[in-house]
């Protein structure tokens, strides 16, 4: 625009830039409302099901309906959890924390509560099956798989853009987590991202991070800020061989997914009231 009479000074160019920023579309989201985009409507934080509207800015649709009636009617799921945690003194706290973690994931509220979900414990204790169930509650285009020791990478964090859940099946025993990058991403700080061969852009991750591990995370960051961002659900006992089924996660998802989701979203009033997860002992 330098050849124009109205663009001779630096302030003129700043005015042109400001005008362009104002008139350039900012994406499809027109309403700042958190919710879950089910097949039969948009569920708000108040658990009110509203008609679909592009202004909500949803880039995914759950491949099933929101049906509040069967909430908790998932016997296979709760029997599985009983097999995992039934011998633990804090089993009730663990169930509440799990319900809240699933709720936060579905609503894309990970940064609001600033916790990473770590399923930690001994082998054959059910943690991998629970991780499978958690990630199966959201559609494929709402998932990413970026382990935390790769969060300082130039390109990989871009895969979290507009995802609801980020999964790591097993934390590395040797590679360390960059503490500052970890805290920024968990908190949903605005960050620069880039896909190979494309322009750099900015986004704020909304996903909840779910990891499994037999050991504690490795890092040089010993601050309280790093440590407090973990919600650890301990798996202390192997599931007895006679109760063990390698396909139990698939069976539960196939038969009880709608009921599990309906149960999970019931944690929303408690989350809003406490503004924090229930923490197991």
């Amino acid at each position: 625009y330098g050849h124009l009479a109205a663009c001779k000074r630096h302030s003129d160019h700043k005015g042109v830039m400001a005008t362009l920023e104002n008139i350039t579309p900012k994406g499809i989201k027109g309403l700042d409302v958190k919710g879950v985009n089910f097949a039969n409507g948009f569920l708000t934080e108040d658990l009110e099901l509203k008609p679909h509207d592009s202004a909500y800015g949803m880039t995914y649709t759950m491949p099933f309906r929101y049906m509040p009636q069967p909430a908790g009617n998932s016997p296979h799921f709760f029997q599985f959890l009983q097999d995992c945690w039934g011998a633990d003194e804090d089993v009730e706290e663990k169930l509440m924390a799990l319900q809240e973690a699933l709720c936060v994931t579905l609503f894309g509220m990970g940064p609001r509560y600033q916790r990473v979900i770590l399923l930690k414990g001994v082998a054959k204790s059910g943690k991998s099956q629970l991780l499978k169930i958690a990630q199966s509650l959201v559609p494929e285009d709402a998932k990413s798989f970026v382990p935390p020791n790769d969060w300082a990478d130039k390109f990989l964090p871009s895969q979290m853009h507009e995802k609801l859940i980020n999964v790591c099946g097993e934390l590395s025993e040797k590679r360390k987590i960059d503490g500052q990058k970890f805290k920024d991403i968990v908190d949903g700080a605005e960050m620069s991202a880039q896909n190979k061969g494309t322009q750099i852009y900015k986004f704020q991750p909304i996903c909840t991070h779910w990891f499994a591990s037999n050991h504690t995370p490795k890092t040089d960051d010993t601050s309280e800020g790093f440590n407090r961002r973990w919600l650890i659900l301990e798996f202390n006992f192997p599931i007895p061989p006679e109760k063990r089924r390698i396909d139990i996660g698939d069976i539960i998802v196939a038969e009880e997914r709608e009921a599990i989701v309906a149960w999970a979203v019931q944690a929303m009033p408690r989350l809003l009231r406490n503004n924090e997860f229930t923490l197991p002992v």
Side-chain angles (χ1 to χ4, degrees), residues 45-80:
E45 292 181 52
D46 300 325
L47 304 188
E48 180 182 353
L49 191 66
K50 295 188 174 184
H52 290 126
D53 191 326
S54 61
Y56 293 127
M58 294 292 103
T59 59
Y60 70 90
T61 301
M62 295 292 182
F64 51 88
R65 302 164 299 166
Y66 172 63
M67 304 289 288
Q69 295 83 2
N73 185 19
S74 41
H76 293 307
F77 178 60
F78 287 110
Q79 182 58 56
F80 164 71

Side-chain angles (χ1 to χ4, degrees), residues 76 245 247-256:
H76 293 307
R245 293 194 59 176
D247 60 346
I248 187 63
D250 295 324
I251 293 172
I252 289 171
V253 170
E255 297 183 9
E256 301 177 349

Side-chain angles (χ1 to χ4, degrees), residues 3-213:
H3 65 284
L4 299 177
C7 290
K8 298 301 183 184
R9 297 171 298 177
H10 178 65
S11 58
D12 297 333
H13 289 269
K14 289 179 66 177
V16 170
M17 189 67 179
T19 301
L20 289 173
E21 288 178 345
N22 286 333
I23 65 175
T24 300
K26 299 297 190 296
I28 62 174
K29 188 169 185 176
L31 296 172
D32 188 18
V33 179
K34 288 289 186 182
V36 187
N37 203 44
F38 287 99
N40 60 333
F42 180 82
L43 186 69
T44 68
E45 292 181 52
D46 300 325
L47 304 188
E48 180 182 353
L49 191 66
K50 295 188 174 184
H52 290 126
D53 191 326
S54 61
Y56 293 127
M58 294 292 103
T59 59
Y60 70 90
T61 301
M62 295 292 182
F64 51 88
R65 302 164 299 166
Y66 172 63
M67 304 289 288
Q69 295 83 2
N73 185 19
S74 41
H76 293 307
F77 178 60
F78 287 110
Q79 182 58 56
F80 164 71
L81 296 177
Q82 179 67 24
D83 293 340
C84 294
W85 293 333
D88 296 341
E89 293 182 357
D90 60 350
V91 59
E92 292 302 323
E93 288 81 3
K94 283 180 175 176
L95 290 173
M96 293 172 67
L98 174 63
Q99 183 185 30
E100 292 159 1
L102 292 173
C103 181
V104 166
T105 302
L106 292 165
F107 277 87
M109 292 180 174
R112 180 185 296 185
Y113 293 94
Q114 299 180 353
R115 294 274 186 177
V116 168
I117 316 304
L118 177 61
L119 311 179
K120 177 179 173 290
V122 299
K124 301 185 185 302
S125 57
K127 59 184 185 298
S128 296
Q129 295 297 327
L130 183 55
L131 190 65
K132 178 187 293 186
I133 293 168
Q135 70 185 71
S136 297
L137 299 184
V138 305
E140 290 298 321
D141 56 356
K143 306 175 190 177
S144 61
F145 300 87
V146 186
N149 45 268
D150 284 334
W151 288 3
D153 184 83
K154 180 179 180 181
F155 300 108
L156 289 176
S158 65
Q159 296 180 19
M160 302 181 201
H161 187 207
E162 296 184 336
K163 307 303 184 186
L164 292 179
I165 188 170
N166 180 58
V167 178
C168 176
E170 186 65 37
L171 292 182
S172 173
E173 285 196 66
K174 298 180 179 179
R175 298 180 62 194
K176 295 181 179 180
I177 299 171
D178 182 309
Q180 187 57 54
K181 183 62 71 172
F182 174 84
K183 288 179 279 192
D184 287 345
I185 289 179
V186 173
D187 294 355
E190 186 176 69
M191 58 183 297
S192 296
Q194 183 180 18
N195 297 312
K196 291 185 178 180
T198 65
Q199 293 288 330
I200 296 175
Y201 62 94
K202 292 185 177 181
F203 80 102
Q204 292 177 273
I206 63 170
C207 52
T208 303
H209 307 278
W210 288 73
F211 306 145
S213 182

